[in-house]
Amino acid sequence: MTTASRSTGRMARRAQGGGPTAYDFRRPIKLSREHVRTLQIAFETYARSCGTLLTTRLRAVSNISLISIEQLTYDEYVASLVTPTIIAVVALDPLPGTGLLEMSQPVVMTAIDHMLGGPGGSQPERPLTEVEMPLLRGLIDRMLGELRYGFESMVDLRPKLKEIEYNAQFLRAHAPGDTVVVASFETKIGAEECLSTICLPFNAMLSVLERTEAVVLSAAEREVRDQARRNLTAGLSAAPIDVAVRFHPIRMRTDDIVDLRPGDVVPLGHPTSRPLEVTTADIVFAHAVPGNQGTRLACLVVPSSNESSSKESGRP
């Protein structure tokens, strides 16, 4: 799978707009709309400032734009990457876990060629030399500084480059089933274009998002969210629910059930001192004793036997 085919496929998916997407009910999406919006603001800030950094540092017109934010397993993320590629392994102090900054090798080679005074353009696919590696590490350090700037409203992130790898299959930054947040960017350096990604641990980001949600949302967005919550609560409160009052069930033989006729009496094993169960969807939520209200049968909700014994013994 080449970089060009990967970029073409992702660009085509981007052009499809709001088409149907697969949903795994065994792993429900946990990022709320507010969380995605908060991440979008942070990553777009990073993309703008990083595009300016590359333009000034490489002396070539560069642009980075956010394409998507996805929640994947680490195994799914690794499977989406090409080989070879450039992967920067990043410590996310003070957050736990490891982040990954991935870019295609041809675009990285183009950036290094510009830093060395070259014209850029098509580059060979080969490992970096001892001269090129420090140049790349210095560029990535500057890019991580822009990532810190993008997330400064959420957390005082201090990303630090640990190592650079070429093959994601040999890199075990996370367990295969761990959930990660993947931001995809369209990266252009001169005439070269590729899809770059940033992979962050989901649990670490979720804890930050939950702490900063109220700060990031504007007053209008909070009002819309609160109104939606009130509408949902009102709708649920007014929703009709089937409720039943039942005796303790008994066992009967199949022959006895088949032979039942109108007027037959079936003895119940429910003690007279035991209240009836009030249920909905086969879930007991209260207890009651039978009675009537006028000409209608009714029941009076009473404490359960456990509640009564607790009160008598003085336990909470």
Side-chain angles (χ1 to χ4, degrees):
M1 180 179 181
T2 64
T3 304
S5 63
R6 178 184 174 210
S7 300
T8 303
R10 294 297 292 270
M11 298 303 174
R13 185 172 66 179
R14 180 188 179 193
Q16 290 175 0
T21 57
Y23 184 88
D24 188 353
F25 287 93
R26 294 170 299 180
R27 192 179 68 247
I29 300 299
K30 296 181 180 178
L31 286 177
S32 67
R33 182 177 301 178
E34 289 82 5
H35 292 163
V36 174
R37 176 57 181 163
T38 303
L39 287 174
Q40 182 180 353
I41 294 173
F43 282 125
E44 286 179 344
T45 302
Y46 159 78
R48 287 192 300 270
S49 58
C50 194
T52 303
L53 166 69
L54 293 179
T55 299
T56 56
R57 187 71 184 270
L58 306 180
R59 299 181 181 87
V61 178
S62 305
N63 182 59
I64 298 179
S65 57
L66 178 66
I67 295 177
S68 65
I69 299 175
E70 300 174 288
Q71 178 180 327
L72 305 172
T73 64
Y74 181 68
D75 225 13
E76 292 171 338
Y77 170 66
V78 169
S80 69
L81 301 180
V82 297
T83 302
T85 189
I86 302 297
I87 304 174
V89 183
V90 181
L92 300 173
D93 187 50
L95 300 180
T98 301
L100 302 177
L101 172 62
E102 178 265 338
M103 295 180 290
S104 73
Q105 191 170 14
V107 169
V108 170
M109 297 295 291
T110 299
I112 293 176
D113 189 63
H114 280 297
M115 283 190 285
L116 294 174
S122 179
Q123 302 293 322
E125 289 193 6
R126 57 170 176 78
L128 300 180
T129 65
E130 295 182 359
V131 175
E132 295 167 339
M133 186 61 76
L135 292 174
L136 176 60
R137 295 184 70 93
L139 180 62
I140 291 178
D141 284 335
R142 295 288 298 273
M143 295 174 67
L144 293 178
E146 303 304 330
L147 184 65
R148 178 180 182 179
Y149 170 68
F151 279 82
E152 67 176 359
S153 62
M154 300 169 53
V155 61
D156 184 18
L157 191 64
R158 296 184 294 275
K160 183 177 180 181
L161 177 62
K162 296 169 60 178
E163 57 182 322
I164 295 177
E165 298 288 344
Y166 295 97
N167 193 330
Q169 301 294 334
F170 300 137
L171 179 63
R172 286 302 172 189
H174 304 277
D178 285 354
T179 307
V180 293
V181 176
V182 179
S184 301
F185 302 87
E186 183 182 356
T187 303
K188 295 181 180 179
I189 299 178
E192 294 298 311
E193 178 181 345
C194 80
L195 188 75
S196 60
T197 60
I198 293 179
C199 172
L200 300 176
F202 175 82
N203 289 334
M205 296 311 303
L206 184 61
S207 63
V208 172
L209 290 168
E210 290 176 342
R211 290 199 307 267
T212 60
E213 182 183 36
V215 178
V216 175
L217 291 179
S218 66
E221 289 173 328
R222 284 197 297 270
E223 177 58 30
V224 171
R225 185 189 62 180
D226 293 341
Q227 183 61 43
R229 183 184 293 113
R230 288 193 293 269
N231 293 340
L232 180 61
T233 303
L236 289 175
S237 300
I241 299 176
D242 292 331
V243 176
V245 179
R246 70 183 183 188
F247 292 88
H248 190 275
I250 62 171
R251 287 180 173 272
M252 295 182 63
R253 295 174 50 191
T254 305
D255 292 344
D256 295 334
I257 296 175
V258 173
D259 292 339
L260 283 176
R261 296 292 183 270
D264 290 347
V265 177
V266 177
L268 301 178
H270 194 102
T272 56
S273 59
R274 180 176 178 178
L276 309 180
E277 295 177 339
V278 185
T279 68
T280 181
D282 207 31
I283 298 175
V284 178
F285 67 90
H287 293 81
V289 294
N292 65 285
Q293 185 177 26
T295 59
R296 295 184 177 183
L297 292 176
C299 66
L300 175 67
V301 176
V302 297
S304 65
S305 56
N306 293 336
E307 294 173 348
S308 301
S309 60
S310 298
K311 290 180 180 179
E312 291 173 358
S313 60
R315 293 196 303 269

